[in-house]
Structures are given as C-alpha cells and as structure tokens.
C-alpha cells in the first residue's frame, strides 16, 4: 500500500469536511477498499473512516419503509432486518463469510457498485431510495454501470430506505472461490407490480429485467417466464462462464426466486 | 505515526502505527503475537481471524487504527495461562482437526465466534460458518468434527473420512 493518513470523524458533517481534502476517500468496512489499496489500485492521501459515526448506524422502520444506516454492517442487517424484511436479511446473511459480514457495510457495497454485488440487486428490485449527505436518489437513477453510481466526489451514502414488498426472494448462484454471486436475481412482489433485478451478469452492472417484470406482474408464476431470454452478447464473459451461460443463469435464478415465493 | 491503544487478550497494549498498518501486522510485528497468521493477504483464507469487540474479523483486512480502544482476542489468549488448551483447541487435537496447523489459529477463532452465537450448531451450520476459512491439508472433515465435539455433540456418527 502507498502511504496515507486515516481520520476518524464522529459526525457526517465532519466526515464531509474531511472529504473536502485533496485525494481523500471514505473508508467504511474496508472489505473492498483494503484489498484495492493492497493492489495499489487506489492512491488516496487521506482515508476518512466512517465506522465511528453513530448516525450512520441502525436498522429501523421509518414511515412504513425500512431505513438502514449507511455504516451498518451486513451482520447487523442479517440480525436486525430478519423480522421486518426477511429476504433482505437472508441476502445479508450470505454475503461473503462471517468475518466479511462483521466489517463490510451496506453503504460501502452501494457506493462501490461491484457488478456482482448483492445489495445493488436488493436496492433496485425494492425500489429503494439512497440517502446521502446532500440529497436522496432513487435506486433507478443511482446505479449507472459497472462500479459507477450517481454519487459525486466526496458524497457519502448515509442511509437506504427500502419499501417492503409483499413478498421477495434473492436467489444467488455462488461463485465459490470469491463467494460473490456468479449471477443472482432479486424478485420483489408489490401490490402494483413485480420488480426483478439481476446482478453478476451484465457488463453494465446491476439491471432490471423489464420483460420478466411485465410477465410476472401479469401472472406471478415461474411459467410466465417461459420463452423469455436475455442476450448474452452484453454479458460478462470470463473463465467462470461465458456471456451466454450467464444469460441462461439469469432465467434460472429468476425462475427459482419466483418458485421460492409462490 | 499515530498512537493506538487496545486491550489484547485482556492485557493493555499500545504502539505507534502508520495509517496503512494492518491490525495483523501490529499484532505480529509490534506485539510479537505471531499466532495470528497471514495466509493470503487478500481477505480470502481466514488464517488471520481474530475477535475485535467479540466479533470475528480478518486482521489482514482492518487497519490497526480502526482497532484503537477495542478489545482484541487472538489465538494466544485461548489457552489458560498454564498452557491448558481450551475446549475447542483440545477438540482439534483429539479429532485431528489439523495437519500443518497453518490455518488452525483462524479456524479456532472462527469456531469460538460461531459457538458463542450458536452453542449447538448443525454440521451444515458449521460448514457454512467456515466459508471464509481455507484449509489446504485436512479436507475440513476433522475440523467440522472437532467443532461439533467442542459443542458437546456426539460425533461418532459423522463419517470418518
Ligand atoms: C471474501 C469476500 C467475499 C465477499 N463476498 C461478497 C458477496 O458475496 N456479495 C457482495 O455483495 N459483496 C461481497 N464482498 C464485498 C463486501 O460486501 C464489502 O463489504 C462491500 O462491497 C464494501 O463495503 P465496505 O463497507 O467494506 O466498504 P469499503 O471497502 O470501506 O469501501 C468500498 C468503496 O466504497 C466507498 N465508500 C464506503 N462507504 C461509503 C459511503 N457510506 N458513502 C460513499 N462511499 C463509500 C469507499 O471509498 C470505497 O471506494 C466480499 C468481500 C470479500 C473480501
Ligand atoms: S490472511 Fe487474512 S484472509 Fe488470508
Ligand atoms: S492444517 Fe494445514 S492448512 Fe489447515
């Protein structure tokens, strides 16, 4: 790692101020950032640690939606969302491994927007709202491609509001070496329709599979997906699987998610 | 350099660290607690698992500064001061839960974290919990057996492969 300083502010306001310094970057659980620093793929001069900021912590119901603070670990979501939003708690329970879950946070995951990350699928399928130190961003506008989001320089994800669907399920096909999904589908059923988000597949990062949404909103049954396919041409192809294979998995994972709910 | 203070295995410890100093390096190089191993240094293998405020974490994927003020427990604090192994360690010995022993500190610390939350885990729960602990020798079977035995469960029925 190159050298850098670490600052540990105790409020969002102080963190935002600290992030105004040249080449400053937020540090949350470090489960993505530390490996990146070790590989010398990032060269911040200051890391602004968010882990000591109380207002970024918590899982609670606010106005009928589930609010999760940006600095909340996967392990806390797994325990504290178990009753209010079980599908989300189960997703958190299968991120990485116990030690990763004890440090990694939802804000870090959403800020990073890894094309294979789990939370982006939950946020997009649930129609969540991302709260930052300066504004609110609808999930539909927030994810802008692989490792790209609507966040500006120095903007901090302070929380996420999840509308709670009538039923939901996240189906993850685990890539056992990385423990990330190879492909995963999040299906959320609301009174006014179904939303389906796919992660791990597209070169554009997480996306909504709108044809599947239309078919499932019409009739919530795995058979409603018959004949629907995605184009493997724009899907991630690597040593673990071709684009065509991932496109196929999108269908299989979505179908299983629907079966788990129905 | 920044001064950090923490309680390691119940004993106050302090030192000067850089921003980039990892907790595992502070433990090994400054405190000379070399039981915590670095297997991969890429957050994959779990040889470096320690407890920070009671939670299992990968000490290679946390900065020492982030553990300032924390209670840290490492493999060195597991046996009694007279060297008597704790239940989990003894079970690893009794059930041949190690061969070269490189992964063992992390396995024991992960097992301790599991049993604290879930005192009687099923075999499947043990295997799932060890997702982040890689062993290149044992094939895991005897590790799972040792953890089941340490939780006071009957293990003779687990196939002895
Ligand atoms: C072995 C292993 C397995 C994993 N498996 C999975 C998996 O199955 N599924 C999955 O989804 N993820 C997985 N991850 C990634 C893990 O979930 C990370 O915790 C997460 O992606 C990043 O969160 P973090 O809090 O660790 O962020 P950090 O690593 O601290 O930061 C990541 C990035 O986000 C920025 N950032 C952090 N917090 C904020 C914030 N609040 N506002 C703005 N920017 C911020 C940082 O500057 C950095 O660029 C795995 C990681 C490891 C090491
Ligand atoms: S050395 Fe920390 S996970 Fe391998
Ligand atoms: S005993 Fe050798 S790596 Fe596990």
């Amino acid at each position: 790692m190159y050298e850098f300083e670490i600052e540990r502010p105790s409020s969002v306001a102080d963190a935002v101020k600290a992030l105004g310094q040249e080449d400053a970057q937020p540090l949350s659980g470090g489960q993505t950032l530390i490996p990146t620093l070790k590989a010398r793929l990032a060269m911040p001069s200051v890391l602004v640690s968010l882990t000591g900021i109380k207002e970024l912590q918590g899982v609670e119901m606010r106005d009928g939606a589930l609010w999760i603070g940006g600095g909340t670990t996967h392990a806390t979501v797994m325990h504290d969302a178990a009753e209010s939003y079980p599908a989300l708690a189960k997703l958190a329970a299968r991120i990485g491994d116990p030690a990763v879950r004890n440090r990694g946070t939802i804000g870090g995951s959403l800020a990073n927007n890894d094309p294979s990350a789990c939370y982006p699928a939950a946020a997009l399928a649930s129609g969540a709202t991302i709260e930052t130190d300066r504004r609110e961003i609808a999930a539909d506008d927030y994810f802008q491609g692989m490792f790209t989001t609507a966040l500006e320089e120095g903007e901090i994800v302070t929380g996420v509001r999840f509308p709670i669907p009538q039923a939901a399920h996240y189906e993850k096909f685990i890539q056992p070496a990385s423990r990330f999904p190879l492909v995963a589908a999040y299906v959320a059923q609301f009174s006014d329709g179904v939303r389906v988000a796919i992660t791990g597949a597209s070169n554009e990062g997480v996306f909504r599979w709108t044809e599947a949404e239309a078919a499932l909103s019409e009739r919530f049954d795995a058979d409603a997906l018959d004949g629907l396919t995605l184009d493997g041409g724009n899907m991630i192809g690597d040593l673990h699987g071709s684009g065509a294979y991932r496109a196929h998995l999108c269908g299989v994972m979505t179908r299983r998610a629907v079966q788990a709910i129905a | 350099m920044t001064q950090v203070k923490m309680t390691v295995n119940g004993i106050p410890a302090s030192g000067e660290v850089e921003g980039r100093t990892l907790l595992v390096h502070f433990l090994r190089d400054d405190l000379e607690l070399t039981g915590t191993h670095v297997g991969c240094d890429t957050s994959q293998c779990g040889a470096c698992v320690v407890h920070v405020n009671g939670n299992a974490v990968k000490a290679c994927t946390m900065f020492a500064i982030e553990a300032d003020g924390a209670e840290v427990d490492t493999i060195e604090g597991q046996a009694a001061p007279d060297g008597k192994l704790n239940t989990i360690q003894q079970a690893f010995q009794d059930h041949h839960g190690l061969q070269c022993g490189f992964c063992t500190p992390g396995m024991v610390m992960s097992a301790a974290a599991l049993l604290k939350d879930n005192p009687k885990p099923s075999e499947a729960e043990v295997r799932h919990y060890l997702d982040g602990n890689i062993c290149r020798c044992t094939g895991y079977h005897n590790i799972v057996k040792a953890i089941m035995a340490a939780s006071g469960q009957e293990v003779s029925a687990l196939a002895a492969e």
Side-chain angles (χ1 to χ4, degrees):
Chain A
M1 280 182 271
Y2 298 109
E3 274 187 81
F4 49 79
E5 301 289 323
I6 297 184
E7 292 189 18
R8 303 180 78 202
S10 55
S11 72
V12 170
D14 287 347
V16 171
K17 204 181 296 165
L19 285 168
Q21 301 169 80
E22 199 172 333
D23 297 327
Q25 190 177 349
L27 167 68
S28 195
Q31 303 303 295
T32 295
L33 185 53
I34 295 177
T36 309
L37 292 166
K38 286 181 180 176
R40 294 196 161 184
L41 295 171
M43 215 172 94
S45 57
V46 182
L47 290 185
V48 179
S49 167
L50 307 178
T51 56
I53 304 179
K54 289 224 168 55
E55 55 194 298
L56 293 180
Q57 301 288 334
V59 177
E60 59 190 52
M61 291 303 294
R62 289 187 183 172
D63 303 328
L66 182 69
W67 179 85
I68 301 181
T72 309
T73 62
H74 310 327
T76 301
V77 174
M78 153 182 147
H79 289 293
D80 293 359
E83 281 188 12
S84 47
Y85 194 171
L88 187 70
K90 280 189 201 144
L91 172 150
R94 292 188 74 207
I95 293 178
D97 55 60
V100 167
R101 294 194 288 271
N102 280 334
R103 294 292 302 165
T105 65
I106 190 167
S109 177
L110 293 173
N112 196 51
N113 194 18
D114 186 296
S116 301
C118 298
Y119 275 126
L124 195 57
S126 306
T129 302
I130 318 296
E131 300 176 352
T132 79
D133 60 273
R134 59 200 73 164
R135 58 187 168 140
E136 300 196 337
I137 311 168
D140 282 319
D141 303 322
Y142 176 85
F143 300 104
Q144 301 192 344
M146 206 183 253
F147 296 110
T148 311
T149 68
L151 292 177
E152 295 164 356
E153 262 319 278
E155 187 169 7
I156 298 174
V157 175
T158 53
V160 193
R161 281 199 322 271
F162 288 92
I164 300 189
Q166 292 167 329
H169 186 81
Y170 179 61
E171 188 71 27
K172 173 177 177 181
F173 191 80
I174 290 187
Q175 201 286 81
S178 74
R179 301 187 276 280
F180 275 79
L182 186 65
V183 169
Y186 199 108
V187 174
Q189 190 181 25
F190 290 92
S191 57
D192 59 352
V194 176
R195 289 171 69 108
V196 179
I198 305 281
T199 186
S202 170
N203 281 321
E204 310 289 322
V206 68
F207 69 96
R208 280 174 68 186
W209 186 7
T210 46
E211 292 84 358
E213 290 181 351
L216 292 169
S217 297
E218 188 82 10
R219 186 164 64 94
F220 196 77
D221 187 306
D223 292 344
L225 299 167
D226 284 352
L228 290 185
T229 51
L230 282 159
D231 177 13
N234 194 27
M235 299 251 167
I236 302 167
D238 58 19
L239 76 169
H240 306 297
S242 63
Y245 177 62
R246 279 187 168 79
H248 175 69
L249 275 183
C250 294
V252 177
M253 292 299 109
T254 306
R255 191 174 290 272
R256 287 188 190 164
V258 172
Q259 281 162 347
I261 296 171
Chain B
M1 301 286 268
T2 307
Q3 167 90 11
V4 290
K5 287 191 183 137
M6 54 191 89
T7 306
V8 181
N9 301 324
I11 301 166
S14 62
E16 296 270 314
V17 297
E18 292 184 73
R20 62 183 168 176
T21 305
L22 297 166
L23 178 59
V24 72
H25 290 139
F26 179 68
L27 294 170
R28 290 179 54 87
D29 302 345
D30 293 40
L31 305 184
E32 298 183 353
L33 295 172
T34 54
T36 303
H37 291 166
V38 179
C40 64
D41 200 28
T42 56
S43 321
Q44 302 291 326
C45 77
C48 64
V49 168
V50 301
H51 299 181
V52 174
N53 294 330
N55 295 319
V57 304
K58 292 175 181 169
C60 79
T61 314
M62 176 168 179
F63 295 117
I65 287 180
E66 293 271 274
D68 189 33
E71 302 267 344
V72 178
D73 293 294
T74 71
I75 189 69
E76 285 87 350
Q78 298 300 296
D82 67 0
K84 187 179 183 309
L85 301 181
N86 76 8
T87 313
I88 297 171
Q89 291 172 307
Q90 190 58 53
F92 269 69
Q93 190 180 77
D94 294 345
H95 294 276
H96 304 284
L98 63 152
Q99 289 178 24
C100 79
F102 193 86
C103 69
T104 314
M107 289 288 180
V108 169
M109 296 310 287
S110 282
L114 166 66
L115 297 185
K116 186 163 66 83
D117 280 355
N118 184 356
K120 292 258 183 284
S122 65
E123 182 186 346
E125 286 169 336
V126 173
R127 289 185 185 277
H128 178 59
Y129 198 88
L130 294 182
D131 263 354
N133 290 85
I134 294 174
C135 176
R136 296 284 79 161
C137 301
T138 63
Y140 302 97
H141 193 76
N142 287 348
I143 293 175
V144 174
K145 212 169 170 179
I147 297 172
M148 295 293 282
S151 68
Q153 303 187 75
E154 180 54 51
V155 293
S156 54
L158 296 182
E161 274 169 47

